[in-house]
Amino acid sequence: WYVVPSKINFAGPHPVCREQIALAFQRNYDSRLTFKTTTPPESFFETRPRQIIMESIQFTKLLGRRALNLDETYSYYSKFNAEINK
C-alpha cells in the first residue's frame, strides 16, 4: 500500500523556488495548474533568508540513489500514478 506523506522536506543538487516547483508540476504532471507569482515587499526579508540552500550526504544514503531533479521526480510519479490507477 503506497502512502504519500502530506509534508516532505527534500534536498537536491540545486536550490529551487516555489515557482520552479509549480512550473515543473505543470510541465510534467498537470498542465491545468494555474498560479500567479508575486514579489514580497523588502520588509518580508528582514526576518527571513532570501534563499535556503541545503545539501545532504545523508539524503543520498537514505534514498540509496542520487536525488532527482523536479522534472525527473514529477515525470516518475506521473508514470507511477498512471500504472497504479490502471
Side-chain angles (χ1 to χ4, degrees):
W1 162 16
Y2 181 71
V3 177
V4 177
S6 62
K7 295 179 180 85
I8 301 172
N9 284 322
F10 58 94
H14 307 286
V16 296
C17 67
R18 288 181 176 98
E19 180 182 22
Q20 290 170 304
I21 293 169
L23 286 169
F25 182 89
Q26 187 183 56
R27 260 193 318 272
N28 295 286
Y29 200 72
D30 192 342
S31 62
R32 298 171 296 173
L33 175 69
T34 60
F35 61 94
K36 179 182 175 183
T37 303
T38 60
T39 303
E42 282 300 312
S43 61
F44 179 82
F45 297 108
E46 289 175 5
T47 59
R48 296 172 181 89
R50 288 191 178 271
Q51 289 186 337
I52 299 172
I53 300 173
M54 183 175 82
E55 289 185 54
S56 174
I57 295 169
Q58 274 61 24
F59 190 62
T60 301
K61 288 179 183 177
L62 177 68
L63 291 174
R65 60 170 172 74
R66 70 173 179 80
L68 303 176
N69 66 37
L70 287 171
D71 286 315
E72 291 171 324
T73 301
Y74 284 128
S75 177
Y76 171 82
Y77 282 103
S78 176
K79 291 173 189 168
F80 178 79
N81 284 334
E83 285 297 316
I84 64 171
N85 290 318
K86 279 185 178 181

Coordinates of all heavy atoms in Angstrom, one line a residue:
W1 N 0.9 -1.2 0.0 CA 0.0 0.0 0.0 C 0.9 1.2 0.0 O 1.8 1.4 0.8 CB -0.9 -0.1 1.2 CG -1.6 1.1 1.7 CD1 -1.8 2.3 1.0 CD2 -2.3 1.2 2.9 NE1 -2.5 3.1 1.8 CE2 -2.8 2.5 3.0 CE3 -2.4 0.4 4.0 CZ2 -3.5 2.9 4.1 CZ3 -3.1 0.8 5.1 CH2 -3.7 2.1 5.1
Y2 N 0.7 2.1 -1.0 CA 1.5 3.3 -1.2 C 0.9 4.5 -0.5 O -0.2 4.8 -0.7 CB 1.7 3.5 -2.7 CG 2.6 4.7 -3.0 CD1 4.0 4.6 -2.8 CD2 2.1 5.9 -3.4 CE1 4.8 5.6 -3.0 CE2 2.9 6.9 -3.7 CZ 4.3 6.8 -3.5 OH 5.1 7.9 -3.8
V3 N 1.7 5.1 0.4 CA 1.3 6.3 1.1 C 2.2 7.5 0.8 O 3.4 7.4 0.9 CB 1.3 6.0 2.7 CG1 0.9 7.3 3.4 CG2 0.4 4.9 3.0
V4 N 1.6 8.6 0.5 CA 2.3 9.8 0.2 C 2.2 10.7 1.4 O 1.1 11.1 1.8 CB 1.8 10.6 -1.1 CG1 2.6 11.9 -1.3 CG2 1.9 9.7 -2.3
P5 N 3.3 11.1 2.1 CA 3.2 12.0 3.2 C 2.6 13.4 2.8 O 2.8 13.8 1.7 CB 4.6 12.1 3.7 CG 5.5 11.6 2.6 CD 4.6 10.7 1.7
S6 N 2.0 14.0 3.7 CA 1.4 15.4 3.4 C 2.5 16.5 3.4 O 2.3 17.5 2.8 CB 0.3 15.7 4.4 OG 0.8 15.8 5.7
K7 N 3.6 16.2 4.1 CA 4.7 17.2 4.2 C 6.0 16.5 3.9 O 6.2 15.5 4.5 CB 4.7 17.9 5.5 CG 3.4 18.7 5.8 CD 3.5 19.4 7.2 CE 2.3 20.2 7.4 NZ 1.2 19.4 8.0
I8 N 6.8 17.1 3.1 CA 8.1 16.5 2.7 C 9.1 17.6 2.7 O 9.0 18.6 2.1 CB 8.1 15.8 1.4 CG1 7.0 14.7 1.3 CG2 9.4 15.3 1.0 CD1 6.8 14.1 -0.1
N9 N 10.2 17.4 3.4 CA 11.4 18.2 3.3 C 12.3 17.5 2.4 O 12.5 16.2 2.5 CB 12.1 18.4 4.6 CG 11.4 19.4 5.5 OD1 10.8 20.4 5.0 ND2 11.3 19.1 6.8
F10 N 12.9 18.2 1.4 CA 13.8 17.5 0.5 C 15.0 18.3 0.2 O 15.1 19.5 0.5 CB 13.0 17.1 -0.8 CG 12.5 18.3 -1.5 CD1 13.2 18.9 -2.5 CD2 11.2 18.8 -1.2 CE1 12.7 20.0 -3.2 CE2 10.7 19.9 -1.9 CZ 11.4 20.5 -2.9
A11 N 16.0 17.6 -0.3 CA 17.3 18.2 -0.7 C 17.6 17.8 -2.1 O 17.1 16.7 -2.5 CB 18.4 17.8 0.3
G12 N 18.4 18.6 -2.8 CA 18.8 18.2 -4.1 C 20.0 18.9 -4.6 O 20.6 19.7 -3.8
P13 N 20.4 18.7 -5.8 CA 21.6 19.3 -6.3 C 21.6 20.8 -6.5 O 22.6 21.4 -6.7 CB 21.9 18.5 -7.6 CG 20.6 18.1 -8.0 CD 19.8 17.9 -6.8
H14 N 20.4 21.4 -6.6 CA 20.2 22.8 -6.9 C 19.1 23.4 -6.1 O 18.1 22.8 -5.8 CB 19.8 23.0 -8.4 CG 20.7 22.3 -9.4 ND1 22.0 22.7 -9.6 CD2 20.5 21.2 -10.1 CE1 22.5 21.9 -10.5 NE2 21.7 20.9 -10.8
P15 N 19.3 24.7 -5.7 CA 18.2 25.3 -4.9 C 17.0 25.6 -5.9 O 17.2 25.8 -7.1 CB 18.8 26.7 -4.5 CG 20.0 26.9 -5.3 CD 20.5 25.5 -5.8
V16 N 15.8 25.5 -5.4 CA 14.6 25.8 -6.2 C 13.7 26.7 -5.4 O 13.7 26.7 -4.2 CB 13.9 24.5 -6.5 CG1 14.7 23.6 -7.4 CG2 13.4 23.7 -5.3
C17 N 12.9 27.4 -6.2 CA 11.9 28.2 -5.5 C 10.5 27.6 -5.8 O 10.3 26.7 -6.6 CB 12.0 29.7 -6.1 SG 11.5 29.8 -7.8
R18 N 9.5 28.2 -5.1 CA 8.1 27.6 -5.3 C 7.7 27.8 -6.7 O 6.9 26.9 -7.2 CB 7.2 28.3 -4.3 CG 7.4 27.9 -2.9 CD 6.4 28.7 -2.0 NE 6.6 28.2 -0.6 CZ 7.3 28.8 0.3 NH1 7.9 30.0 0.0 NH2 7.3 28.4 1.5
E19 N 8.1 28.8 -7.4 CA 7.7 29.0 -8.8 C 8.2 27.8 -9.7 O 7.5 27.3 -10.5 CB 8.1 30.3 -9.4 CG 7.8 30.5 -10.8 CD 8.3 31.9 -11.4 OE1 9.3 32.4 -10.8 OE2 7.7 32.3 -12.3
Q20 N 9.5 27.4 -9.4 CA 10.1 26.3 -10.2 C 9.3 25.0 -9.9 O 9.2 24.2 -10.8 CB 11.6 26.2 -9.8 CG 12.4 27.3 -10.4 CD 13.8 27.3 -9.8 OE1 14.0 27.3 -8.6 NE2 14.8 27.2 -10.7
I21 N 8.9 24.8 -8.6 CA 8.2 23.6 -8.3 C 6.8 23.6 -9.0 O 6.5 22.6 -9.6 CB 7.9 23.6 -6.7 CG1 9.3 23.4 -6.0 CG2 7.0 22.5 -6.4 CD1 9.2 23.6 -4.5
A22 N 6.2 24.7 -9.1 CA 4.9 24.8 -9.8 C 5.0 24.6 -11.3 O 4.3 23.9 -11.9 CB 4.2 26.2 -9.5
L23 N 6.1 25.2 -11.9 CA 6.3 25.1 -13.3 C 6.6 23.6 -13.6 O 6.1 23.1 -14.6 CB 7.4 26.0 -13.8 CG 7.1 27.4 -13.9 CD1 8.3 28.3 -14.1 CD2 6.1 27.7 -15.0
A24 N 7.5 23.0 -12.8 CA 7.8 21.5 -13.1 C 6.6 20.7 -13.0 O 6.3 19.8 -13.8 CB 8.9 21.1 -12.1
F25 N 5.7 20.9 -12.0 CA 4.5 20.2 -11.8 C 3.6 20.4 -13.0 O 3.0 19.4 -13.6 CB 3.7 20.7 -10.5 CG 2.5 19.9 -10.3 CD1 2.5 18.8 -9.5 CD2 1.3 20.4 -10.8 CE1 1.3 18.1 -9.3 CE2 0.1 19.7 -10.5 CZ 0.1 18.5 -9.8
Q26 N 3.5 21.6 -13.5 CA 2.6 22.0 -14.6 C 3.2 21.3 -15.9 O 2.4 20.7 -16.7 CB 2.7 23.5 -14.8 CG 1.7 24.0 -15.9 CD 1.9 25.5 -16.0 OE1 3.0 26.0 -16.2 NE2 0.8 26.3 -15.8
R27 N 4.5 21.3 -16.1 CA 5.1 20.7 -17.3 C 4.9 19.2 -17.3 O 4.7 18.6 -18.4 CB 6.6 21.0 -17.3 CG 7.0 22.1 -18.2 CD 8.6 22.1 -18.4 NE 9.3 21.8 -17.2 CZ 9.7 22.8 -16.3 NH1 9.4 24.0 -16.5 NH2 10.5 22.5 -15.3
N28 N 5.1 18.5 -16.2 CA 5.2 17.1 -16.1 C 4.0 16.3 -15.6 O 3.9 15.1 -15.8 CB 6.4 16.7 -15.3 CG 7.7 17.2 -15.9 OD1 8.2 16.6 -16.8 ND2 8.3 18.2 -15.3
Y29 N 3.1 17.0 -14.9 CA 2.0 16.3 -14.3 C 0.7 16.8 -14.6 O -0.2 16.0 -14.9 CB 2.3 16.4 -12.7 CG 1.6 15.3 -12.0 CD1 2.0 14.0 -12.0 CD2 0.5 15.6 -11.2 CE1 1.3 13.0 -11.3 CE2 -0.2 14.6 -10.5 CZ 0.2 13.3 -10.6 OH -0.4 12.3 -9.9
D30 N 0.4 18.1 -14.6 CA -0.9 18.6 -14.8 C -0.8 20.0 -15.4 O -0.6 21.0 -14.7 CB -1.7 18.6 -13.5 CG -3.2 18.8 -13.8 OD1 -3.6 19.3 -14.9 OD2 -4.0 18.5 -12.9
S31 N -1.0 20.1 -16.7 CA -0.9 21.4 -17.4 C -2.0 22.3 -17.1 O -1.9 23.5 -17.4 CB -0.8 21.2 -18.9 OG -2.0 20.6 -19.4
R32 N -3.0 21.9 -16.4 CA -4.1 22.7 -16.0 C -3.8 23.6 -14.8 O -4.6 24.6 -14.5 CB -5.4 21.9 -15.6 CG -5.9 21.1 -16.8 CD -7.0 20.1 -16.4 NE -6.4 19.2 -15.5 CZ -7.0 18.3 -14.8 NH1 -8.3 18.2 -14.9 NH2 -6.4 17.4 -14.0
L33 N -2.7 23.4 -14.1 CA -2.3 24.2 -12.9 C -2.1 25.6 -13.4 O -1.4 25.9 -14.3 CB -1.0 23.6 -12.3 CG -0.5 24.5 -11.2 CD1 -1.4 24.4 -9.9 CD2 1.0 24.1 -10.8
T34 N -2.7 26.5 -12.7 CA -2.5 28.0 -12.9 C -2.0 28.5 -11.6 O -2.4 28.1 -10.5 CB -3.8 28.7 -13.3 OG1 -4.8 28.5 -12.3 CG2 -4.3 28.1 -14.6
F35 N -1.2 29.5 -11.7 CA -0.6 30.2 -10.5 C -0.2 31.6 -10.8 O 0.0 31.9 -12.0 CB 0.5 29.4 -9.8 CG 1.7 29.2 -10.7 CD1 2.8 30.0 -10.7 CD2 1.8 28.1 -11.6 CE1 3.9 29.9 -11.5 CE2 2.8 27.9 -12.4 CZ 3.9 28.8 -12.4
K36 N 0.0 32.4 -9.8 CA 0.5 33.8 -10.0 C 1.7 34.0 -9.1 O 1.6 33.6 -7.9 CB -0.6 34.8 -9.6 CG -0.2 36.2 -9.8 CD -1.4 37.1 -9.4 CE -0.9 38.5 -9.4 NZ -2.0 39.4 -8.9
T37 N 2.8 34.5 -9.6 CA 3.9 34.8 -8.8 C 3.9 36.2 -8.4 O 3.6 37.1 -9.2 CB 5.2 34.5 -9.7 OG1 5.2 33.2 -10.2 CG2 6.5 34.8 -8.9
T38 N 4.1 36.4 -7.1 CA 4.2 37.8 -6.6 C 5.5 38.0 -5.9 O 6.2 37.1 -5.4 CB 3.0 38.0 -5.5 OG1 3.2 37.1 -4.5 CG2 1.7 37.8 -6.2
T39 N 5.9 39.3 -5.8 CA 7.1 39.7 -5.1 C 6.8 40.3 -3.8 O 6.0 41.3 -3.8 CB 7.9 40.6 -6.0 OG1 8.2 40.0 -7.3 CG2 9.2 41.0 -5.4
P40 N 7.3 39.7 -2.7 CA 7.0 40.3 -1.4 C 7.7 41.7 -1.2 O 8.8 41.9 -1.9 CB 7.6 39.3 -0.4 CG 8.6 38.6 -1.2 CD 8.2 38.6 -2.6
P41 N 7.3 42.5 -0.3 CA 8.0 43.7 0.0 C 9.3 43.4 0.6 O 9.5 42.4 1.2 CB 7.0 44.5 0.9 CG 6.2 43.4 1.6 CD 6.1 42.3 0.5
E42 N 10.3 44.4 0.5 CA 11.6 44.2 1.1 C 11.5 43.8 2.6 O 12.3 43.1 3.1 CB 12.4 45.4 0.9 CG 13.0 45.5 -0.5 CD 13.9 44.3 -0.9 OE1 14.8 43.9 -0.1 OE2 13.7 43.7 -1.9
S43 N 10.5 44.4 3.3 CA 10.4 44.1 4.8 C 10.2 42.7 5.1 O 10.5 42.2 6.1 CB 9.3 45.0 5.3 OG 8.0 44.6 4.7
F44 N 9.7 41.9 4.1 CA 9.4 40.5 4.3 C 10.7 39.8 4.6 O 10.8 38.8 5.4 CB 8.8 39.9 3.0 CG 8.6 38.4 3.0 CD1 7.4 37.9 3.6 CD2 9.5 37.5 2.5 CE1 7.2 36.5 3.6 CE2 9.2 36.2 2.5 CZ 8.1 35.7 3.1
F45 N 11.8 40.2 4.0 CA 13.1 39.6 4.1 C 13.9 40.1 5.3 O 15.1 39.6 5.6 CB 13.9 39.7 2.9 CG 13.3 39.0 1.7 CD1 12.7 39.8 0.7 CD2 13.3 37.7 1.6 CE1 12.1 39.1 -0.4 CE2 12.7 37.0 0.5 CZ 12.1 37.8 -0.5
E46 N 13.4 41.0 6.1 CA 14.1 41.4 7.3 C 14.3 40.3 8.3 O 15.2 40.3 9.1 CB 13.3 42.6 7.9 CG 13.5 43.9 7.1 CD 12.6 45.0 7.6 OE1 12.0 44.9 8.7 OE2 12.6 46.1 7.0
T47 N 13.3 39.4 8.4 CA 13.4 38.3 9.4 C 13.5 36.9 8.7 O 13.3 35.9 9.3 CB 12.2 38.3 10.3 OG1 11.0 38.2 9.6 CG2 12.3 39.6 11.2
R48 N 13.7 36.9 7.4 CA 13.7 35.7 6.6 C 14.9 35.7 5.6 O 15.2 36.7 5.0 CB 12.4 35.5 5.8 CG 11.1 35.4 6.6 CD 9.9 35.4 5.7 NE 8.7 35.3 6.4 CZ 8.0 36.4 6.9 NH1 8.5 37.6 6.8 NH2 6.9 36.2 7.6
P49 N 15.4 34.5 5.4 CA 16.5 34.5 4.4 C 15.9 34.5 3.0 O 14.8 34.1 2.7 CB 17.1 33.1 4.6 CG 16.1 32.3 5.2 CD 15.2 33.2 6.0
R50 N 16.6 35.1 2.0 CA 16.2 35.1 0.6 C 16.3 33.8 0.0 O 15.5 33.4 -0.8 CB 17.0 36.1 -0.2 CG 16.7 37.6 0.2 CD 17.3 38.5 -0.9 NE 17.0 39.9 -0.5 CZ 15.9 40.5 -1.0 NH1 15.1 39.9 -1.8 NH2 15.6 41.7 -0.7
Q51 N 17.3 33.0 0.4 CA 17.4 31.6 -0.2 C 17.8 30.7 1.0 O 18.4 31.1 1.9 CB 18.6 31.6 -1.1 CG 18.3 32.2 -2.5 CD 19.5 32.0 -3.4 OE1 20.6 31.7 -3.0 NE2 19.2 32.1 -4.7
I52 N 17.3 29.5 0.9 CA 17.7 28.4 1.8 C 18.3 27.3 0.9 O 17.7 26.8 0.0 CB 16.5 27.8 2.5 CG1 15.9 28.9 3.4 CG2 17.0 26.6 3.4 CD1 14.6 28.5 4.0
I53 N 19.6 27.1 1.0 CA 20.4 26.2 0.2 C 20.8 25.0 1.1 O 21.4 25.3 2.2 CB 21.6 26.8 -0.4 CG1 21.1 28.0 -1.3 CG2 22.4 25.8 -1.2 CD1 22.2 28.8 -1.9
M54 N 20.4 23.8 0.8 CA 20.6 22.7 1.6 C 21.2 21.5 0.8 O 20.8 21.2 -0.2 CB 19.3 22.2 2.2 CG 19.4 21.1 3.2 SD 17.8 20.7 3.9 CE 17.0 19.7 2.7
E55 N 22.3 21.0 1.3 CA 22.9 19.8 0.8 C 22.9 18.7 1.8 O 23.1 19.1 3.0 CB 24.3 20.1 0.3 CG 24.4 20.9 -1.0 CD 25.8 21.1 -1.5 OE1 26.5 20.0 -1.7 OE2 26.3 22.2 -1.6
S56 N 22.8 17.5 1.5 CA 22.8 16.4 2.5 C 23.3 15.1 1.9 O 22.8 14.6 1.0 CB 21.3 16.2 3.0 OG 21.3 15.1 3.8
I57 N 24.5 14.7 2.4 CA 25.0 13.4 2.1 C 24.1 12.3 2.6 O 23.9 11.3 1.9 CB 26.5 13.3 2.6 CG1 27.4 14.3 1.9 CG2 27.0 11.9 2.4 CD1 28.7 14.5 2.6
Q58 N 23.5 12.6 3.8 CA 22.7 11.6 4.4 C 21.4 11.3 3.5 O 20.9 10.2 3.5 CB 22.2 12.0 5.8 CG 23.2 11.6 6.9 CD 24.6 12.2 6.7 OE1 24.8 13.3 6.1 NE2 25.6 11.6 7.3
F59 N 20.9 12.3 2.8 CA 19.7 12.2 2.0 C 20.0 11.2 0.9 O 19.2 10.3 0.6 CB 19.3 13.6 1.4 CG 18.0 13.6 0.7 CD1 16.8 13.3 1.4 CD2 17.9 13.9 -0.6 CE1 15.6 13.3 0.8 CE2 16.7 13.9 -1.3 CZ 15.5 13.6 -0.6
T60 N 21.2 11.3 0.2 CA 21.5 10.3 -0.8 C 21.7 8.9 -0.3 O 21.2 8.0 -0.9 CB 22.8 10.8 -1.5 OG1 22.7 12.1 -2.1 CG2 23.2 9.8 -2.6
K61 N 22.3 8.8 0.9 CA 22.4 7.5 1.5 C 21.0 6.9 1.9 O 20.8 5.7 1.7 CB 23.3 7.6 2.8 CG 24.8 7.8 2.5 CD 25.5 7.9 3.8 CE 27.0 8.2 3.5 NZ 27.8 8.4 4.7
L62 N 20.2 7.8 2.4 CA 18.8 7.3 2.8 C 18.0 6.8 1.6 O 17.4 5.8 1.6 CB 18.1 8.5 3.5 CG 16.6 8.2 3.9 CD1 16.6 7.2 5.0 CD2 16.0 9.5 4.3
L63 N 18.1 7.6 0.5 CA 17.4 7.2 -0.7 C 18.1 5.9 -1.4 O 17.4 5.1 -2.0 CB 17.5 8.3 -1.8 CG 16.7 9.5 -1.5 CD1 16.9 10.6 -2.5 CD2 15.2 9.2 -1.4
G64 N 19.4 5.8 -1.2 CA 20.1 4.7 -1.9 C 20.3 5.0 -3.4 O 20.5 4.1 -4.2
R65 N 20.2 6.2 -3.7 CA 20.4 6.7 -5.1 C 20.6 8.2 -5.1 O 20.4 8.8 -4.0 CB 19.2 6.4 -6.0 CG 17.9 7.0 -5.5 CD 16.8 6.9 -6.5 NE 15.5 7.3 -5.9 CZ 15.2 8.6 -5.7 NH1 16.0 9.6 -6.0 NH2 14.0 8.9 -5.2
R66 N 20.9 8.8 -6.2 CA 21.1 10.2 -6.3 C 19.7 10.9 -6.2 O 18.7 10.3 -6.5 CB 21.8 10.6 -7.6 CG 21.0 10.5 -8.8 CD 21.6 11.0 -10.1 NE 20.8 10.9 -11.2 CZ 19.8 11.6 -11.6 NH1 19.4 12.6 -10.9 NH2 19.1 11.3 -12.7
A67 N 19.7 12.1 -5.7 CA 18.4 12.8 -5.7 C 18.0 13.2 -7.1 O 18.8 13.4 -8.0 CB 18.6 14.1 -4.9
L68 N 16.7 13.1 -7.4 CA 16.2 13.5 -8.7 C 15.9 15.0 -8.7 O 15.6 15.6 -7.7 CB 14.9 12.8 -8.9 CG 14.9 11.2 -8.9 CD1 13.5 10.7 -9.1 CD2 15.9 10.7 -9.9
N69 N 16.0 15.6 -9.9 CA 15.6 17.0 -10.0 C 14.0 17.0 -10.1 O 13.4 16.0 -10.2 CB 16.3 17.7 -11.2 CG 15.9 17.2 -12.5 OD1 14.7 16.8 -12.8 ND2 16.8 17.1 -13.4
L70 N 13.4 18.2 -10.1 CA 12.0 18.3 -10.1 C 11.3 17.7 -11.3 O 10.3 17.0 -11.2 CB 11.6 19.8 -10.1 CG 11.8 20.5 -8.7 CD1 11.6 22.0 -8.8 CD2 10.9 19.9 -7.7
D71 N 11.9 17.9 -12.5 CA 11.3 17.3 -13.7 C 11.3 15.8 -13.7 O 10.4 15.1 -14.0 CB 12.0 17.8 -15.0 CG 11.6 19.2 -15.3 OD1 10.4 19.6 -15.2 OD2 12.5 20.0 -15.7
E72 N 12.5 15.2 -13.2 CA 12.6 13.8 -13.1 C 11.6 13.2 -12.1 O 10.9 12.2 -12.3 CB 14.0 13.4 -12.7 CG 15.0 13.6 -13.7 CD 16.4 13.4 -13.2 OE1 16.7 13.8 -12.0 OE2 17.3 12.9 -13.9
T73 N 11.4 13.9 -11.0 CA 10.5 13.5 -9.9 C 9.1 13.5 -10.4 O 8.4 12.5 -10.3 CB 10.6 14.4 -8.7 OG1 12.0 14.3 -8.2 CG2 9.7 14.0 -7.6
Y74 N 8.6 14.6 -11.0 CA 7.2 14.7 -11.4 C 7.0 13.7 -12.6 O 5.9 13.1 -12.6 CB 6.8 16.1 -11.8 CG 6.6 17.0 -10.7 CD1 7.2 18.2 -10.6 CD2 5.7 16.6 -9.7 CE1 7.0 19.0 -9.5 CE2 5.4 17.4 -8.6 CZ 6.1 18.7 -8.5 OH 5.9 19.5 -7.4
S75 N 7.9 13.5 -13.5 CA 7.7 12.6 -14.6 C 7.6 11.1 -14.0 O 6.8 10.4 -14.4 CB 8.9 12.7 -15.5 OG 8.8 11.7 -16.5
Y76 N 8.5 10.8 -13.1 CA 8.5 9.5 -12.5 C 7.1 9.2 -11.8 O 6.5 8.2 -12.0 CB 9.6 9.3 -11.5 CG 9.5 8.0 -10.7 CD1 9.9 6.8 -11.2 CD2 8.9 8.0 -9.4 CE1 9.8 5.7 -10.4 CE2 8.8 6.9 -8.6 CZ 9.3 5.7 -9.2 OH 9.1 4.5 -8.5
Y77 N 6.7 10.1 -11.0 CA 5.4 9.9 -10.2 C 4.2 10.0 -11.1 O 3.2 9.3 -10.8 CB 5.3 10.8 -9.0 CG 6.2 10.3 -7.9 CD1 7.4 10.9 -7.6 CD2 5.8 9.2 -7.2 CE1 8.2 10.4 -6.6 CE2 6.6 8.7 -6.2 CZ 7.8 9.3 -5.9 OH 8.6 8.8 -4.9
S78 N 4.3 10.7 -12.2 CA 3.2 10.7 -13.1 C 3.0 9.4 -13.8 O 1.9 8.8 -13.9 CB 3.4 11.8 -14.2 OG 2.4 11.7 -15.2
K79 N 4.1 8.7 -14.2 CA 4.1 7.4 -14.7 C 3.7 6.4 -13.7 O 2.9 5.5 -13.9 CB 5.4 7.0 -15.3 CG 5.8 7.8 -16.5 CD 7.2 7.6 -17.0 CE 7.6 8.6 -18.1 NZ 9.1 8.5 -18.3
F80 N 4.2 6.5 -12.5 CA 3.9 5.6 -11.4 C 2.4 5.7 -11.1 O 1.7 4.6 -11.0 CB 4.7 6.0 -10.1 CG 4.4 5.2 -8.9 CD1 4.9 3.9 -8.8 CD2 3.5 5.6 -7.9 CE1 4.7 3.1 -7.7 CE2 3.3 4.9 -6.8 CZ 3.8 3.6 -6.7
N81 N 1.8 6.9 -11.0 CA 0.4 7.0 -10.7 C -0.5 6.4 -11.8 O -1.5 5.8 -11.6 CB 0.0 8.5 -10.4 CG 0.4 8.9 -9.1 OD1 0.5 8.1 -8.1 ND2 0.7 10.2 -8.9
A82 N 0.0 6.6 -13.1 CA -0.8 6.0 -14.2 C -0.8 4.5 -14.1 O -1.8 3.9 -14.4 CB -0.1 6.5 -15.5
E83 N 0.3 3.9 -13.7 CA 0.4 2.5 -13.6 C -0.5 1.9 -12.5 O -1.2 0.9 -12.6 CB 1.8 2.0 -13.3 CG 2.7 2.1 -14.5 CD 2.3 1.1 -15.6 OE1 2.0 0.0 -15.3 OE2 2.3 1.6 -16.7
I84 N -0.5 2.6 -11.3 CA -1.4 2.1 -10.2 C -2.8 2.4 -10.4 O -3.7 1.7 -9.7 CB -0.9 2.6 -8.8 CG1 -1.0 4.1 -8.7 CG2 0.5 2.1 -8.5 CD1 -0.7 4.6 -7.3
N85 N -3.2 3.3 -11.3 CA -4.6 3.7 -11.5 C -5.2 3.0 -12.7 O -6.3 3.4 -13.1 CB -4.7 5.2 -11.6 CG -4.5 5.8 -10.2 OD1 -5.0 5.4 -9.2 ND2 -3.8 6.9 -10.2
K86 N -4.5 2.0 -13.3 CA -5.0 1.3 -14.5 C -6.2 0.5 -14.1 O -6.4 -0.1 -13.1 CB -3.9 0.4 -15.1 CG -3.0 1.1 -15.9 CD -2.0 0.2 -16.6 CE -1.0 0.9 -17.5 NZ -0.1 0.0 -18.1

